Amino acid sequence: MKIAVIGSTHAGTAAVKNMAELYPEAEITVYERNDNVSFLSCGLALYVGGVVNDPQGLFYSSPEALQELGVTMKMQHDVENIDTEEQTIEATNLVTGEKVYDAYDKLVMTTGSWPVTPPIEGIDLENVLLAKNYNQANTIIERAKHAEKVTVVGGGYIGVELVEAFEKAGKEVTLIDGADRILNKYLDPEFTDMVEEDFRNRGITLALNETVKRFEGIDGQVKRVLTNEGTHDADLVIMCVGFRPNTDLLKGKVDMLENGAIKVDAYMKTSDENIYAAGDCCAVKYNPTGGHAYIPLATNAVRMGTLVARNIVRPTIQYVGTQGTSGLHIYDLNMASTGLTETSASMMDVHVKSVTIEDTHRPAFMPTAEQVKMKVSYDPDSRRILGAQVISQADVTQSINTMSVCIQTGMTIDELGFVDFFFQPHFNQPWNFINQAGLSAAQ
Ligand SMILES: Cc1cc2nc3c(=O)[nH]c(=O)nc-3n(C[C@H](O)[C@H](O)[C@H](O)COP(=O)(O)OP(=O)(O)OC[C@H]3O[C@@H](n4cnc5c(N)ncnc54)[C@H](O)[C@@H]3O)c2cc1C
């Protein structure tokens, strides 16, 4: 069996490692544009901020390691065409310019995503940068050495992490977002208010409700960001306004969502019998609504990549879907969320009720005890739990992984009150705050 894999970061690397082990007789060829595999973008802000000093730690595999598994690695090869009828692909060797043609029995599409770059005047100026891969991380570090005023456009988790990194490095930082608050896709206002207050207290300028209209520069270098509300001086701009799936190669050839995310079945198979897909190039099954959603996360990518390997020969293990569970550490605050927030529920026209618990994470008799805020949202009719958010200076973020399981298994808010959780004064209260959330929703 000839398997061609396009893209080898998280989904691709997971698929390749597992396929090489499961099917030693298969002829696996990987096409990857970059000169590296498995870059952990999640460490990008820590690398830029100098918390991670050795960039080698940001890779967990290498072309050589995959080659040792018997895989043919075509690094710095850009796949330019896929003929799904003939089952062939066409690529260019980016080093020599040579054209490469190949045929496949099964194709694994793990081409991921690319940062959205809106058609804003001046976006091509020097020092307007993107933050996704290893080369871009190095460019940001290099350019930041000579920058004093840094503007981050986009207040999602990547933008917010970069804001912290630049502020800690002593830069004058502005965060621009068209929405009225940061992190609005992950957390409700009572949570994001805390992060915004912290940012403002540290001298970070929050330019919310502002849309970038133009970048202006001198001698080709960015100097100003003009928005609908005003002007922000900047000698470095990082664009973090979201991601779009990299799926042009299969446009019109397999079923996709409107944004181009490939639809796969529970076995990661696309609408083409011989093409499997995983990771950021795909839509995922979103359990809180039961529909398809685009949630580009490394966690989804490694799970889906592993499932491709398990299912590519015969359907074996089904994907259980996702709640879009994610966590974040910003300065002294630890936060995490899973499933729907009230904001995202209302954007999706889903009616939810919510309960909020505020308590200390462990008994007050302990030498220290931090405040915890947890909110749980549920369907008022079926009473099924649909989402949860938590924030605290204590690291109680694992509670959100517990809530993710509750959503996935269809637990009701009433059952949540009586789930068996341990108590030990170092860690929590006799009534765990998760139980308390369930109890306080009692009818
Ligand atoms: C700054 C940052 C921080 C993040 N933090 C987190 C986090 O904390 N937690 C989390 O879960 N997720 C995080 N993510 C998201 C996570 O990085 C992505 O979800 C993950 O990288 C997706 O992996 P993937 O393999 O599907 O796609 P990608 O990482 O996009 O990789 C796709 C690969 O395909 C290659 N490719 C594409 N097209 C072609 C072609 N035509 N020919 C050859 N090769 C091609 C690309 O070069 C690339 O290597 C973060 C992302 C960023 C940018």
Side-chain angles (χ1 to χ4, degrees), residues 7 9-11 32-33 41-42 79 111-113 132 157 280 297-298:
T9 298
H10 299 310
E32 170 53 59
R33 245 182 218 157
S41 314
C42 46
V79 175
T111 46
S113 61
K132 163 92 184 173
Y157 70 93
D280 279 16
L297 282 174

Side-chain angles (χ1 to χ4, degrees), residues 282-345:
C282 292
V284 291
K285 181 185 163 221
Y286 187 55
N287 290 325
T289 60
H292 280 103
Y294 186 58
I295 306 178
L297 282 174
T299 47
N300 292 335
V302 290
R303 283 191 291 260
M304 294 172 88
T306 304
L307 284 170
V308 165
R310 301 283 180 95
N311 293 317
I312 198 161
V313 170
R314 73 189 64 83
T316 307
I317 302 182
Q318 292 199 16
Y319 182 43
V320 291
T322 171
Q323 288 69 249
T325 309
S326 65
L328 197 53
H329 172 82
I330 297 292
Y331 294 109
D332 300 325
L333 289 170
N334 303 295
M335 61 208 92
S337 69
T338 184
L340 294 172
T341 61
E342 280 191 296
T343 307
S344 64

Side-chain angles (χ1 to χ4, degrees), residues 5-13 31-34 36-45 74 77-80 109-115 131-133 157-158 161-162 243 246 249 278-281 295-302 325-327:
V5 181
I6 312 179
S8 189
T9 298
H10 299 310
T13 302
Y31 291 86
E32 170 53 59
R33 245 182 218 157
N34 291 332
N36 57 68
V37 302
S38 81
F39 175 63
L40 285 160
S41 314
C42 46
L44 189 145
K74 302 243 182 228
H77 278 65
D78 188 28
V79 175
E80 286 156 344
M109 185 77 172
T110 41
T111 46
S113 61
W114 195 245
K132 163 92 184 173
N133 61 30
Y157 70 93
I158 295 167
E161 284 181 335
L162 284 170
F243 293 91
N246 251 335
L249 286 170
D280 279 16
C281 62
I295 306 178
L297 282 174
T299 47
N300 292 335
V302 290
T325 309
S326 65

Side-chain angles (χ1 to χ4, degrees), residues 69-352:
L69 298 174
V71 176
T72 303
M73 298 300 292
K74 302 243 182 228
M75 298 305 294
Q76 292 177 276
H77 278 65
D78 188 28
V79 175
E80 286 156 344
N81 192 35
I82 303 171
D83 185 330
T84 53
E85 298 292 320
E86 296 295 321
Q87 295 180 213
T88 56
I89 61 176
E90 188 183 326
T92 296
N93 180 330
L94 297 174
V95 180
T96 62
E98 181 200 353
K99 287 270 178 209
V100 178
Y101 303 90
D102 202 355
Y104 64 84
D105 298 313
K106 300 282 178 193
L107 178 73
V108 177
M109 185 77 172
T110 41
T111 46
S113 61
W114 195 245
V116 171
T117 49
I120 300 171
E121 191 185 330
I123 199 164
D124 295 330
L125 285 166
E126 285 264 314
N127 285 8
V128 179
L129 304 177
L130 302 177
K132 163 92 184 173
N133 61 30
Y134 181 52
N135 293 340
Q136 290 166 339
N138 286 324
T139 308
I140 294 173
I141 290 172
E142 199 44 48
R143 305 287 174 85
K145 283 182 191 155
H146 314 287
E148 281 171 16
K149 296 181 179 179
V150 181
T151 292
V152 174
V153 183
Y157 70 93
I158 295 167
V160 162
E161 284 181 335
L162 284 170
V163 163
E164 180 192 19
F166 287 126
E167 188 278 330
K168 281 183 168 167
K171 313 290 179 196
E172 206 178 296
V173 187
T174 301
L175 174 59
I176 300 178
D177 200 297
D180 61 354
R181 61 190 185 85
I182 62 171
L183 297 171
N184 65 338
K185 284 198 190 134
Y186 312 94
L187 296 158
D188 279 330
E190 58 270 42
F191 295 81
T192 55
D193 284 353
M194 292 170 70
V195 187
E196 288 180 6
E197 189 189 342
D198 196 17
F199 273 5
R200 289 193 177 101
N201 290 341
R202 292 172 195 271
I204 294 159
T205 303
L206 292 183
L208 302 175
N209 283 316
E210 291 194 32
T211 313
V212 176
K213 295 290 177 202
R214 196 163 75 236
F215 297 106
E216 286 183 352
I218 299 174
D219 296 335
Q221 295 270 342
V222 72
K223 286 290 163 206
R224 263 184 307 277
V225 186
L226 276 71
T227 71
N228 55 330
E229 292 290 329
T231 303
H232 304 279
D233 290 341
D235 34 26
L236 181 63
V237 174
I238 316 291
M239 294 295 296
C240 307
V241 295
F243 293 91
R244 65 167 200 86
N246 251 335
T247 54
D248 289 352
L249 286 170
L250 286 179
K251 210 171 178 182
K253 297 174 182 174
V254 298
D255 293 347
M256 295 180 182
L257 295 188
E258 234 170 67
N259 75 339
I262 298 169
K263 286 188 188 173
V264 288
D265 67 11
Y267 299 100
M268 305 294 109
K269 191 163 71 179
T270 67
S271 55
D272 181 311
E273 192 63 22
N274 297 310
I275 304 180
Y276 286 70
D280 279 16
C281 62
C282 292
V284 291
K285 181 185 163 221
Y286 187 55
N287 290 325
T289 60
H292 280 103
Y294 186 58
I295 306 178
L297 282 174
T299 47
N300 292 335
V302 290
R303 283 191 291 260
M304 294 172 88
T306 304
L307 284 170
V308 165
R310 301 283 180 95
N311 293 317
I312 198 161
V313 170
R314 73 189 64 83
T316 307
I317 302 182
Q318 292 199 16
Y319 182 43
V320 291
T322 171
Q323 288 69 249
T325 309
S326 65
L328 197 53
H329 172 82
I330 297 292
Y331 294 109
D332 300 325
L333 289 170
N334 303 295
M335 61 208 92
S337 69
T338 184
L340 294 172
T341 61
E342 280 191 296
T343 307
S344 64
S346 92
M347 287 191 310
M348 292 180 204
D349 267 340
V350 179
H351 182 43
V352 294

